[in-house]
Amino acid sequence: GENMVLLIPVTLGAALLGMFIAYSRFDGWFAFSHSILTGLAWIFLLMANLVKEEELESFLNFGFSEFQAKIYYILWRLITWVDAAWNQSINNDNYVFIFEISFLLWALTYFGMWSIFRYGYTWRAVVPVGVVLLISTYCAPQPTVGFLMIFCLLTLFFLVRTNLAEQQLRWRERGLYLGQDVTFDFLRDGLLYSTIVLSLAW
């Protein structure tokens, strides 16, 4: 629904943080812990905008500010869901669903960007996201094939870029240095080829 629009800033935030941490000197453990804490804070901040004022009455009576009341309300919904799951009872909470989807998307995006820009592991980044997106495309009540096509296009382009970077390293080891126009031509042709392949597949 309209609440799922917040997945866009969730994804953008994870991508920017993953790229920043990948180019930094921080080690893997700090990057992991920092990504989890930052992701939770970012998701709660975005989800606070989804809480309606009529849902905060009991929390505002304790003297909390409106923003604090929204955060505590979301936490209360999550705790209530965990308690229901522990007692094996049914609790279909939309806030919990949005939180789970947002956190999953944050983790996949962050570690995908980390894998690409820190180690150059393109497949480790795209395969988990691709599987989730494929399942979502199959199960979604509304058509999401367009998102899958965009993902495939970006994936092919990343593979082209990764292959180019590996070739450039080999060329430098052999003492071959090519101009920037070769890199531009390689990426342009790779993008054109990827577009043609996806157009034929469509």
Side-chain angles (χ1 to χ4, degrees):
E2 59 182 9
N3 292 337
M4 302 305 289
V5 175
L6 66 81
L7 295 180
I8 297 177
V10 168
T11 304
L12 292 177
L16 291 175
L17 182 65
M19 186 182 303
F20 171 77
I21 297 294
Y23 282 117
S24 68
R25 298 181 179 180
F26 299 129
D27 57 20
W29 170 248
F30 177 85
F32 173 77
S33 58
H34 186 72
S35 68
I36 296 297
L37 295 177
T38 305
L40 289 174
W42 182 236
I43 292 172
F44 273 109
L45 179 63
L46 294 173
M47 289 188 63
N49 298 322
L50 304 179
V51 182
K52 301 177 181 178
E53 294 184 3
E54 57 267 21
E55 298 174 316
L56 301 176
E57 183 177 355
S58 59
F59 289 89
L60 292 175
N61 292 334
F62 287 97
F64 298 128
S65 65
E66 183 176 350
F67 177 74
Q68 287 178 317
K70 290 181 177 180
I71 298 300
Y72 291 147
Y73 178 77
I74 296 173
L75 287 173
W76 175 72
R77 297 286 288 264
L78 293 175
I79 294 174
T80 302
W81 181 85
V82 172
D83 180 70
W86 181 263
N87 294 306
Q88 299 181 352
S89 59
I90 299 176
N91 185 351
N92 297 323
D93 196 315
N94 189 49
Y95 284 101
V96 176
F97 174 75
I98 295 174
F99 173 80
E100 292 174 346
I101 294 297
S102 299
F103 188 76
L104 175 63
L105 191 60
W106 171 276
L108 290 175
T109 304
Y110 174 84
F111 289 111
M113 299 297 287
W114 166 270
S115 299
I116 291 174
F117 291 100
R118 174 61 71 98
Y119 301 108
Y121 297 152
T122 306
W123 286 112
R124 292 187 183 182
V126 301
V127 169
V129 179
V131 171
V132 173
L133 185 57
L134 188 61
I135 295 174
S136 300
T137 301
Y138 180 77
C139 300
Q142 299 178 353
T144 58
V145 180
F147 292 101
L148 182 62
M149 297 299 290
I150 294 175
F151 170 78
C152 291
L153 178 62
L154 294 177
T155 298
L156 291 175
F157 183 75
F158 270 126
L159 292 174
V160 171
R161 181 64 185 90
T162 302
N163 183 65
L164 175 61
E166 294 176 352
Q167 294 297 331
Q168 287 176 329
L169 289 176
R170 295 175 183 175
W171 294 337
R172 291 173 184 173
E173 291 176 354
R174 299 176 182 178
L176 300 176
Y177 296 92
L178 303 179
Q180 292 295 327
D181 55 336
V182 175
T183 301
F184 175 78
D185 292 341
F186 197 96
L187 294 177
R188 180 197 60 198
D189 295 341
L191 182 60
L192 178 61
Y193 175 78
S194 301
T195 304
I196 294 175
V197 170
L198 287 178
S199 299
L200 293 175
W202 181 272

